């Protein structure tokens, strides 16, 4: 009878740990950051040519303006 009670107590403790783990929201920040990074990387891959030409134009402008100073 004592072994059954001990098993029930251990099962209850495991159950309480699982519930606490589900209630814990510490990992949500990490998941959100990963999703944001995935979206940003996807946007960069989609608009790679536009971004490359935009950055090139910006550097050309900086270069030409720095020569006039």
């Amino acid at each position: 009878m004592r072994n059954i009670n001990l098993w029930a107590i251990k099962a209850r403790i495991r159950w309480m740990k699982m519930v606490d783990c589900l209630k814990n929201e510490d990992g949500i920040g990490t998941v959100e950051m990963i999703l944001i990074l995935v979206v940003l990387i996807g946007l960069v891959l989609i608009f790679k040519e536009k971004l490359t030409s935009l950055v090139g134009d910006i550097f050309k402008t900086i270069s030409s303006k720095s020569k006039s100073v």
Side-chain angles (χ1 to χ4, degrees):
M1 186 77 170
R2 184 174 168 98
N3 288 338
I4 294 173
N5 289 337
L6 188 58
W7 180 83
I9 291 171
K10 287 181 180 179
R12 177 77 175 157
I13 290 171
R14 281 193 298 258
W15 177 255
M16 290 172 65
K17 285 182 180 179
M18 284 192 330
V19 170
D20 285 342
C21 189
L22 291 175
K23 287 182 182 178
N24 191 356
E25 296 182 359
D26 290 341
I28 291 177
T30 304
V31 172
E32 289 172 349
M33 290 301 294
I34 290 172
L35 288 175
I36 290 170
L37 285 173
V38 167
V39 169
L40 287 175
I41 291 170
L43 289 173
V44 167
L45 292 175
I46 291 171
F47 297 109
K48 183 179 177 181
E49 292 179 22
K50 292 275 187 185
L51 289 172
T52 304
S53 65
L54 177 67
V55 171
D57 291 342
I58 290 171
F59 280 121
K60 286 178 188 174
T61 304
I62 290 171
S63 176
S64 66
K65 295 281 183 175
S66 67
K67 289 178 184 175
S68 65
V69 172

